[in-house]
Amino acid sequence: MRKVDRLFEIVQLLRGKRLRTAEFIAAELGVSQRTIYRDISGLMASGIPIEGERGVGYLINQPIDLPPLHFTPLELKALRLGADMVKAIADTEMAAAAEEASFKIIDALPTNRRTMSIRPSTAVYIESDAELRETLGIIRGAVDNHDKVEIDYRDKAGQATNRVMRPLGLEYWGHVWTCTTWCELRDDFRVFRVDLIERCSLTGQKFKLEKGKTYKDYGESMRRDDI
């Protein structure tokens, strides 16, 4: 991450009157606490109204003159609904990212629009158990990092199998999550329902995206089947 990008992210993390420790910021940005202390000192010297001290934490109480975000009322409602849906159905890390994004959007809005974005007119009520969220988190990370995953799977007929798979993508169908994979047991594409995965763990092995075995290839094969 470039320094200018890191400084911008630090400011975003401190806005909205949320106390953040240097340890937290360093973990979020993947740098050392010493780097964060140095960056915050530089930001304060440049006039950014950061309050706090080492060992306690930092925050920004005063408004900062950044270009405001201009959304229509309907756009704000759509963003709020989208964030609430992610918080309801996604894994814990993704849900936290949606919450953080909501804070950033609200804080960057003109003052007269902030109450509009906070006051919802729709609500999301979806149950998602902790075990499912944990499995989703493992698979999403594996998709992003090209990690092979081993699963114990029991299909709707009750048949149990053990598979090593290359997870390629996650899909949400309104009531269930599925994971599209390249299954090493079948040497072919397979789609698994995430709620039917009884155990999921990383194998410690990476995979490369090979021609004919990618998410794009799967989509193209489905289109050919529909012709």
Side-chain angles (χ1 to χ4, degrees):
M1 179 183 291
R2 297 179 306 166
K3 181 177 180 180
V4 63
D5 295 328
R6 188 175 69 245
L7 293 176
F8 178 80
E9 287 299 324
I10 291 173
V11 171
Q12 297 307 305
L13 286 169
L14 297 181
R15 295 176 72 179
K17 302 180 181 181
R18 288 165 292 156
L19 190 69
R20 305 292 201 187
T21 64
E23 180 182 9
F24 173 85
I25 300 171
E28 286 289 303
L29 304 184
V31 297
S32 68
Q33 291 186 52
R34 179 178 297 180
T35 297
I36 297 302
Y37 286 133
R38 184 170 60 246
D39 287 346
I40 287 178
S41 294
L43 288 168
M44 294 172 73
S46 69
I48 300 297
I50 298 174
E51 302 175 20
E53 58 184 70
R54 293 192 182 198
V56 177
Y58 302 91
L59 55 78
I60 296 175
N61 269 317
Q62 303 176 34
I64 301 175
D65 292 329
L66 293 177
L69 296 177
H70 296 284
F71 293 112
T72 66
L74 189 58
E75 288 171 343
L76 289 173
K77 290 178 181 180
L79 289 170
R80 174 63 184 267
L81 180 61
D84 286 348
M85 291 185 69
V86 171
K87 289 187 286 184
I89 67 175
D91 61 85
T92 304
E93 188 177 16
M94 186 67 76
E99 181 76 6
E100 185 68 26
S102 296
F103 281 128
K104 290 181 179 179
I105 291 171
I106 291 170
D107 196 49
L109 289 171
T111 304
N112 64 338
R113 289 292 185 92
R114 291 183 184 178
T115 55
M116 185 186 305
S117 69
I118 295 172
R119 185 174 60 251
S121 60
T122 56
V124 178
Y125 300 105
I126 302 174
E127 292 186 8
S128 182
D129 62 71
E131 187 174 349
L132 177 63
R133 286 182 183 267
E134 182 179 358
T135 301
L136 283 170
I138 293 172
I139 294 175
R140 182 182 55 77
V143 172
D144 293 340
N145 299 315
H146 299 165
D147 292 319
K148 291 185 181 181
V149 171
E150 181 180 3
I151 64 170
D152 290 334
Y153 188 77
R154 188 177 299 275
D155 63 23
K156 289 186 290 185
Q159 183 177 358
T161 57
N162 176 269
R163 309 286 184 101
V164 173
M165 63 184 192
R166 305 178 183 186
L168 303 175
L170 282 165
E171 306 87 20
Y172 184 66
W173 299 91
H175 62 288
V176 296
W177 282 92
T178 58
C179 177
T180 299
T181 75
W182 181 265
C183 177
E184 298 198 342
L185 177 64
R186 303 301 183 191
D187 197 32
D188 200 355
F189 293 111
R190 287 292 186 272
V191 178
F192 298 98
R193 277 182 49 165
V194 177
D195 60 317
L196 299 181
I197 296 176
E198 297 184 334
R199 184 186 64 84
C200 178
S201 62
L202 301 178
T203 66
Q205 297 176 310
K206 297 284 187 180
F207 67 88
K208 294 182 179 180
L209 294 177
E210 303 175 34
K211 185 177 181 180
K213 300 180 180 181
T214 68
Y215 199 56
K216 181 180 178 181
D217 294 324
Y218 172 75
E220 291 176 350
S221 70
M222 291 297 98
R223 284 191 289 273
R224 287 195 299 270
D225 290 344
D226 290 338
I227 296 176

